[in-house]
Amino acid sequence: MNFPKSRDEIARDVLALLPRLRERFGDRLSTSGAVREQHGHGEGVPDSAPPDAVVFALNNEDVAFVARACFDAQVPMIPFGTGTSLEGHVVAVHGGVCVDLSRMNAILEVDADALDCRVQAGVTREELNAYVRAQGLFFPIDPGANASLGGMASTRASGTAAVRYGTMSDAVLGLTVVTADGRTVRTGTRARKSAAGLDLTRLFVGSEGILGFITEVQLRLWGLPEMVQAAVCQFPDLESAISVVIGALQIGVPVARIELLDEVQMDACKRYSKLDEFEAMPTLFIEFHGSPAAVREQVATMQSLAEESGGSGFAWAERPEDRTRLWKARHECYHANLALRPGSALIGTDACVPISNFVACVMETREDVRASGLTAPLVGHAGDGNFHLGIVFDPASPDERARADGLAERVSMRAIRYGGTCTGEHGIGLHRIHQLAAEHAEGVALMRALKDALDPRGIMNPGKMLPEVH
Amino acid sequence: MNFPKSRDEIARDVLALLPRLRERFGDRLSTSGAVREQHGHGEGVPDSAPPDAVVFALNNEDVAFVARACFDAQVPMIPFGTGTSLEGHVVAVHGGVCVDLSRMNAILEVDADALDCRVQAGVTREELNAYVRAQGLFFPIDPGANASLGGMASTRASGTAAVRYGTMSDAVLGLTVVTADGRTVRTGTRARKSAAGLDLTRLFVGSEGILGFITEVQLRLWGLPEMVQAAVCQFPDLESAISVVIGALQIGVPVARIELLDEVQMDACKRYSKLDEFEAMPTLFIEFHGSPAAVREQVATMQSLAEESGGSGFAWAERPEDRTRLWKARHECYHANLALRPGSALIGTDACVPISNFVACVMETREDVRASGLTAPLVGHAGDGNFHLGIVFDPASPDERARADGLAERVSMRAIRYGGTCTGEHGIGLHRIHQLAAEHAEGVALMRALKDALDPRGIMNPGKMLPEVH
C-alpha cells in the first residue's frame, strides 16, 4: 500500500490540523487511545489500525468542514458508521481522520403516500423500522447487523430479504454526498425512476467511502405486508434443498426470504441459539409476505416443491415471537460459528453466482472444505445465488490462517469462474482487492479513473477496494 | 456548443480516416448522403445533423477499431441503434463518425435456468422476446418503440411495465463496453447482485453514449406469467383515475402495467386506433400477470378501488389479440397525436414525480396546457409517477414552436419542483441539457468530471447530456 506520505507524516499533519478541528468540534473531536482504537476496526477478520483522530459529525456542514481541512492538508479520511463491516472498510491503514457519522441519526422526512423517506447516514435500519412501523411501513433490506443506512448504502448491502425486495442499489433513490474537497451534492430525486444524466446515486452506492462521504440517504419504503408467515423445512441433502429454491425462482414464487443452512451450520445454530426442535440437517428458512390468499398460494407451491425433493413437512413460526427467534438464530450464525471453538476467529466468504451454477459451486466448495480439514459452516441467501462460509480458524496458528485464507481465496475464484462475483454483499474493503482485479480485469482501470476524477488527492478511505498504484 | 475543432476541420479529419476505415469495413462504411441523412436524426423533435461517415459494426473488435482511429484523430463518434430516441441522442451536432450497431444482432447466450441472457447491442426487444418465448421466458421492459437493447440500456429506458419489472437499470446485469480509446471492458457479472467495486454497469446504463459504446448486454429474463389479463376502466375525471393508481400502490397490488390516458389522449386514440368501444374520457389501461388465483385477487382489489372512485366496470381484453390491440393503441399514442393535425410536429415531455405529488403535478400541468392554447394529450406510466404530454405544434410557426417549448420547459421545472425529475425515461439528449443543470446543480460538475475521466478527448457523442464547456 502506498500513499504520497508516510504514516508518520500523516500523523504530524493531523496534529497540525487539530486546532482548526477543535475550534469547530470541541469535545466532538477525540484523539484518545480508546476512541481511536474502537474506530480502527470493524467486525470479521481482526485487522486493526487506528486513525490519528476521530470527529463526530452532526450534519453535512460538519463533514464538509473536515473534508476541506483534510483536502488542504492531504490527509486521509475514513467514514465510520456502526463499524459492522466484515471486510476492514474502516481500518485506518494510513492513519488520518475518522469521521464518525453515528450521531447523524435524524430521520429527516417520511412520506407514507409516496412510500419514501430521507434519513441522515447514521440512522440504523432498526431505528428506521421502529419509526415508520406506526405508519404501516417498513424498510426490508436486512443484512443481519443493525448497520447504519449510510454504511449499508456505502457497501451496497443486501441480506436475507433481497430475493424479494432487492439490495441497497434498488432501495436508494438519492443521496447527499460530501466530496473529498468538501462540496455537498444531492444525487437522484424522489422520483421512482429517472433518465436524467449519469447515475451518480448508483455510482456512490457501493463505493466504500473511496469517492466521498454519504451523509444522507433517500430511501424507498414498503407497506407492511398484510400477513407474514415463516416456515422451516429440512432435507436429507443439500442438493435437494437447493432444488427447491431453484424451483421457486423458476415459477416466480415471490418468497420474501429463503435462506439455506447446511448441516454444519444448523448444528452450530442448534447449540448457540437453542433451536432444539430441528435436526442438524440441510435446512431452508422461508418467509412469506402478502395477502392471506397470496401467502396461502405461495405456501402450497413451496410445500409441494419441498415434498417432491424429499423435504420434511413445514415447521411453522406463525407468531411474531417465534419468527423473531428463528431470524435471530439466522442472524446469530456469525457468533454461533465463533462459539464452535473458543478463541477462534472467522473468515467469511461471499460468493454469488447465477442460480443455474449454484449447486455446482456449493458442492465443489463443500468438497474443498472437507479437503482443507477446516470447519466452515455454510449459510446462504439461496434465492440470490449467494452463500457464505464462516471459516473457523485459530488466530494464533499461522498455518490455520494460511489454510483459511487459501480456502476463502479458492471460493472467490470459483465464484468468478462460475460467472459470478467474489462478493455478493460484503464488499471488497481490504481483503478482496486482488480478487476484484481477477473479477473485473480492465474494469479496475476504469474504476481507478473514476476514483481519481472525484478524489484527485487520493484522501478518501485510501487502501480500500482498488489496488494502490505502485 | 463547442468542440476543440470546427465542423469543417472534423469533416476533413474524417476524410483522412476513410482509407483506414475502408480497409477494415469495405462496403460497411458509407459516406452516401442518404445513409448519413438517415443517421443524423432520431424520432421526435425534428433536429437533424448528419455524421460525416457511417460504419456498420459487426462485433466488439469493429467498434474498438473505429474508436482507436477516432481517438487518434480526435474525431467525434456517435453510437446508433434503431434511431428511435425522441431526444436527439443520435444527432451528429459536430459531425464525425456514426457507429451503427444494428447489425450486431446476435443473441449470444440464453440460460433459462438462470433466467438471463447475453445479446449484442443491436438486438431489439421484440427480437429477443420472439427468441426466448419458446423457452417460456420474456423480457418485460417495454418502451413502446422496438428499440435496440443497447440503445435502451444507453438511455435507461423503461416504459409501460416498469411499475412491476423495473427499468433497464434493474434489468441489466452487465455490459460489454468499448471505451473512447478502444479498450473492451466487461462490467458486472451474471450474479444477481454484487458488492464488488464501483458499479460500472449502472454508470454506463443511461450514459447516452457520452462515456463509451455499449456493445453487448447481459440481461435478466422473466418466466412468462401463467396468466395475463388486461382491462380498461374509464373515469368521470382524471383525479379519480389517479386515486385508483395511488390506492393500488399503497396496498402493493403487483399490477404489471397501469397506464393513464386523459380524455384528449383517448379521443386521439379512438380516432387513430379505432378504439370505438371506449369514450373520450380519462382512462386506465391495466394489465395483470400471475397465477390464476393471484390475478383473480388483483382484479378484485382493483375493481373495488375503481368502484370507490366512480370508475366504469372493467372492459376485458382477455384474448391475446384484444390485448395486442389495446397495447398497440397505447404504443401508437405518438402517431395518434401527430394525426390530430396534419403537418404538425410533437414535443414530448417526460416528467416523473413522487406519487404523492402526481395529482398536483398533473392537474397544474393540465391547467397550464389550457392556458397555453395548445393541444397536448396526456398519457402516463401512472404507477411510476411518470407522464408525457404530446404537445402538438406547427413546425412552420415560430410562435407555436416557442409556446410549445415554453410549455415543455414549465412541465420539466414543475416536476423538479415537486421533488421529481425532468425525464423519467427519455433522457437528456440535446433537449434537456439546461434542465439537467436545474435538476442536479452541483451534480453536473461531478458528471462532467466522470465524463472527462473516461473520455479525456471529449469524442464520445459530444454535445449531448452535459453542458459544453465555454
Side-chain angles (χ1 to χ4, degrees):
Chain A
M1 286 169 291
N2 63 0
F3 188 80
K5 296 177 187 179
S6 73
R7 203 151 180 354
D8 283 351
E9 286 172 292
I10 290 167
R12 239 186 352 257
D13 289 345
V14 172
L15 203 63
L17 276 181
L18 290 181
R20 183 169 166 190
L21 294 175
R22 181 150 292 123
E23 194 177 358
R24 182 178 184 103
F25 290 97
D27 60 6
R28 290 191 286 115
L29 165 67
S30 174
T31 55
S32 91
V35 171
R36 289 167 51 221
E37 170 52 34
Q38 186 227 329
H39 286 78
H41 63 87
E43 298 181 356
V45 182
D47 303 295
S48 185
D52 297 300
V54 178
V55 297
F56 293 86
L58 299 182
N59 51 47
N60 297 331
E61 293 67 35
D62 276 352
V63 179
F65 182 91
V66 180
R68 281 190 299 269
C70 290
F71 184 81
D72 291 347
Q74 196 173 19
V75 159
M77 294 183 281
I78 305 101
F80 192 99
T82 55
T84 48
S85 158
L86 297 173
E87 301 304 338
H89 289 107
V90 299
V91 179
V93 285
H94 295 284
V97 178
C98 173
V99 182
D100 184 315
L101 302 160
S102 64
R103 298 187 195 172
M104 289 187 65
N105 60 357
I107 294 171
L108 303 170
E109 198 186 331
V110 175
D111 183 337
D113 291 331
L115 296 167
D116 72 1
C117 68
R118 189 167 192 89
V119 301
Q120 284 188 311
V123 173
T124 69
R125 64 177 185 84
E126 289 181 6
E127 284 166 357
L128 177 61
N129 272 317
Y131 187 91
V132 300
R133 192 178 174 81
Q135 294 174 71
L137 303 173
F138 82 124
F139 180 72
I141 318 288
D142 179 1
N146 185 22
S148 68
L149 293 158
M152 287 170 62
S154 293
T155 54
R156 211 181 292 129
S158 48
T160 49
V163 62
R164 168 80 169 259
Y165 298 99
T167 74
M168 288 300 280
S169 184
D170 307 300
V172 174
L173 294 168
L175 299 168
T176 303
V177 158
V178 173
T179 60
D181 58 357
R183 287 172 290 163
T184 302
V185 181
R186 292 273 289 248
T187 75
T189 72
R190 292 183 56 209
R192 279 303 155 116
K193 64 182 191 185
S194 171
L198 301 180
D199 192 343
L200 297 176
T201 302
R202 266 153 214 88
L203 180 64
F204 274 91
V205 169
S207 64
E208 304 190 356
I210 73 161
L211 300 182
F213 294 90
I214 291 176
T215 59
E216 294 172 349
V217 193
Q218 186 88 36
L219 289 168
R220 295 179 62 183
L221 294 171
W222 279 258
L224 280 167
E226 201 181 339
M227 186 172 193
V228 176
Q229 276 200 340
V232 176
C233 187
Q234 300 206 290
F235 295 84
D237 52 65
L238 211 53
E239 295 97 319
S240 304
I242 295 173
S243 75
V244 171
V245 178
I246 294 177
L249 294 174
Q250 296 288 334
I251 321 178
V253 186
V255 286
R257 311 184 201 244
I258 187 157
E259 295 286 302
L260 174 73
L261 298 84
D262 77 355
E263 67 278 14
V264 188
Q265 185 64 68
M266 272 307 281
D267 186 45
C269 289
K270 276 169 61 70
R271 291 163 197 254
Y272 188 82
S273 305
K274 313 276 173 284
L275 293 184
D276 299 326
E277 65 271 47
F278 302 112
E279 305 299 318
M281 289 169 71
T283 304
L284 292 177
F285 288 8
I286 313 174
E287 195 167 277
F288 304 94
H289 292 181
S291 67
V295 166
R296 245 191 327 273
E297 188 181 26
Q298 292 174 43
V299 166
T301 308
M302 292 305 291
Q303 279 182 318
S304 87
L305 284 172
E307 207 168 292
E308 284 168 29
S309 295
S312 68
F314 279 19
W316 289 106
E318 265 182 84
R319 294 180 312 165
E321 54 271 35
D322 292 340
R323 272 209 318 276
T324 303
R325 189 168 148 266
L326 191 65
W327 292 111
K328 188 160 169 289
R330 166 63 190 88
H331 286 333
E332 285 171 349
C333 281
Y334 181 79
H335 297 286
N337 295 343
L338 277 178
L340 284 174
R341 189 165 146 194
S344 66
L346 280 186
I347 290 179
T349 69
D350 189 25
C352 188
V353 297
I355 196 70
S356 55
N357 292 335
F358 192 61
V359 170
C361 191
V362 163
M363 298 318 288
E364 268 183 42
T365 297
R366 297 241 302 174
E367 195 45 57
D368 198 357
V369 171
R370 185 164 14 237
S372 75
L374 294 161
T375 301
L378 184 149
V379 59
H381 311 309
D384 307 326
N386 186 200
F387 68 91
H388 308 297
L389 292 182
I391 308 173
V392 182
F393 70 99
D394 174 359
S397 159
D399 167 63
E400 275 201 21
R401 171 74 195 244
R403 280 191 291 143
D405 281 336
L407 175 58
E409 171 83 7
R410 289 192 300 279
V411 173
S412 291
M413 294 304 167
R414 186 175 297 125
I416 296 168
R417 213 162 53 237
Y418 274 117
T421 176
C422 63
T423 178
E425 54 183 17
H426 293 169
I428 298 296
L430 270 183
H431 306 136
R432 296 199 175 90
I433 292 175
H434 75 280
Q435 297 173 7
L436 181 74
E439 186 173 317
H440 287 292
E442 190 64 32
V444 177
L446 298 196
M447 295 180 199
R448 163 62 61 189
L450 299 172
K451 156 82 170 170
D452 291 344
L454 298 190
D455 177 23
R457 309 198 78 176
I459 55 178
M460 285 308 313
N461 208 8
K464 315 300 162 57
M465 188 196 293
L466 299 177
E468 294 198 68
V469 189
H470 292 285
Chain B
M1 288 169 293
N2 64 0
F3 188 80
K5 297 176 185 178
S6 72
R7 202 149 180 359
D8 283 350
E9 286 172 292
I10 291 167
R12 239 187 351 258
D13 290 343
V14 172
L15 204 62
L17 277 181
L18 290 181
R20 184 169 166 189
L21 295 176
R22 182 151 293 123
E23 195 177 354
R24 181 177 184 103
F25 290 96
D27 60 6
R28 288 190 286 116
L29 164 67
S30 174
T31 54
S32 91
V35 171
R36 289 168 52 222
E37 170 52 35
Q38 186 228 329
H39 286 79
H41 63 88
E43 298 181 356
V45 182
D47 304 294
S48 186
D52 297 301
V54 179
V55 297
F56 293 86
L58 299 182
N59 50 47
N60 296 331
E61 293 66 37
D62 276 353
V63 178
F65 182 92
V66 179
R68 281 191 297 270
C70 289
F71 184 81
D72 291 346
Q74 197 173 20
V75 159
M77 294 182 280
I78 305 101
F80 192 100
T82 54
T84 47
S85 158
L86 297 172
E87 301 304 337
H89 289 107
V90 298
V91 178
V93 285
H94 295 284
V97 177
C98 172
V99 182
D100 184 314
L101 302 160
S102 64
R103 297 187 196 171
M104 288 186 66
N105 60 355
I107 293 171
L108 302 171
E109 197 185 333
V110 174
D111 182 338
D113 291 330
L115 296 166
D116 72 1
C117 68
R118 189 166 193 89
V119 301
Q120 284 188 311
V123 172
T124 69
R125 62 176 186 85
E126 289 181 6
E127 284 166 356
L128 177 61
N129 272 316
Y131 187 90
V132 300
R133 193 180 175 80
Q135 293 174 72
L137 303 173
F138 82 124
F139 180 72
I141 318 287
D142 178 3
N146 185 21
S148 68
L149 292 158
M152 286 171 61
S154 294
T155 54
R156 212 180 291 129
S158 49
T160 49
V163 63
R164 168 81 169 258
Y165 298 98
T167 74
M168 287 301 280
S169 184
D170 307 299
V172 175
L173 294 169
L175 299 169
T176 303
V177 158
V178 173
T179 61
D181 58 357
R183 286 173 291 162
T184 301
V185 181
R186 290 274 289 248
T187 76
T189 72
R190 290 182 58 207
R192 279 302 154 116
K193 64 181 192 187
S194 171
L198 301 179
D199 192 344
L200 297 175
T201 303
R202 267 153 213 87
L203 181 64
F204 274 91
V205 169
S207 63
E208 304 189 356
I210 74 162
L211 301 183
F213 293 91
I214 292 176
T215 58
E216 294 172 350
V217 193
Q218 186 88 36
L219 289 168
R220 296 179 61 184
L221 294 171
W222 279 258
L224 279 167
E226 201 181 340
M227 186 173 192
V228 176
Q229 276 201 338
V232 176
C233 186
Q234 299 206 290
F235 294 85
D237 53 65
L238 210 52
E239 294 98 320
S240 304
I242 295 174
S243 74
V244 172
V245 177
I246 293 176
L249 293 173
Q250 296 288 333
I251 321 179
V253 186
V255 286
R257 311 183 201 245
I258 186 158
E259 296 286 304
L260 174 73
L261 298 84
D262 78 353
E263 66 279 13
V264 188
Q265 185 64 68
M266 272 306 281
D267 186 46
C269 288
K270 278 169 59 71
R271 291 163 198 254
Y272 188 82
S273 305
K274 313 276 173 288
L275 293 183
D276 299 326
E277 64 272 48
F278 302 113
E279 304 299 317
M281 289 170 71
T283 302
L284 292 177
F285 287 9
I286 312 175
E287 195 166 278
F288 305 93
H289 292 179
S291 68
V295 166
R296 246 191 327 272
E297 188 181 25
Q298 293 173 43
V299 166
T301 308
M302 292 305 292
Q303 279 181 318
S304 87
L305 285 171
E307 207 169 292
E308 284 167 30
S309 295
S312 68
F314 279 19
W316 290 106
E318 265 182 83
R319 293 179 312 164
E321 55 269 36
D322 290 339
R323 273 208 317 277
T324 303
R325 189 169 148 264
L326 192 66
W327 292 111
K328 187 160 171 287
R330 166 62 190 89
H331 286 332
E332 285 172 349
C333 280
Y334 181 82
H335 297 286
N337 295 343
L338 277 178
L340 284 173
R341 190 167 144 194
S344 65
L346 281 187
I347 290 179
T349 70
D350 189 25
C352 187
V353 297
I355 196 71
S356 55
N357 292 334
F358 192 61
V359 170
C361 191
V362 163
M363 299 316 288
E364 268 183 42
T365 298
R366 298 241 302 176
E367 195 45 57
D368 197 358
V369 171
R370 185 163 17 237
S372 75
L374 295 160
T375 300
L378 184 150
V379 59
H381 311 309
D384 308 326
N386 186 202
F387 68 91
H388 308 297
L389 292 182
I391 308 173
V392 182
F393 70 98
D394 175 359
S397 159
D399 167 63
E400 275 200 22
R401 170 75 195 242
R403 280 191 291 142
D405 281 334
L407 175 58
E409 171 84 6
R410 289 193 300 279
V411 173
S412 290
M413 293 304 166
R414 186 175 297 123
I416 296 168
R417 213 161 55 238
Y418 274 116
T421 176
C422 64
T423 178
E425 55 182 17
H426 293 169
I428 299 295
L430 269 183
H431 306 135
R432 296 198 174 91
I433 291 175
H434 76 281
Q435 297 172 8
L436 181 74
E439 186 173 316
H440 287 291
E442 189 65 30
V444 177
L446 298 197
M447 294 180 200
R448 163 61 62 189
L450 300 173
K451 156 82 170 169
D452 290 345
L454 298 191
D455 177 23
R457 309 198 78 175
I459 55 179
M460 285 308 314
N461 209 5
K464 315 298 163 56
M465 188 195 294
L466 299 176
E468 293 197 70
V469 190
H470 291 287

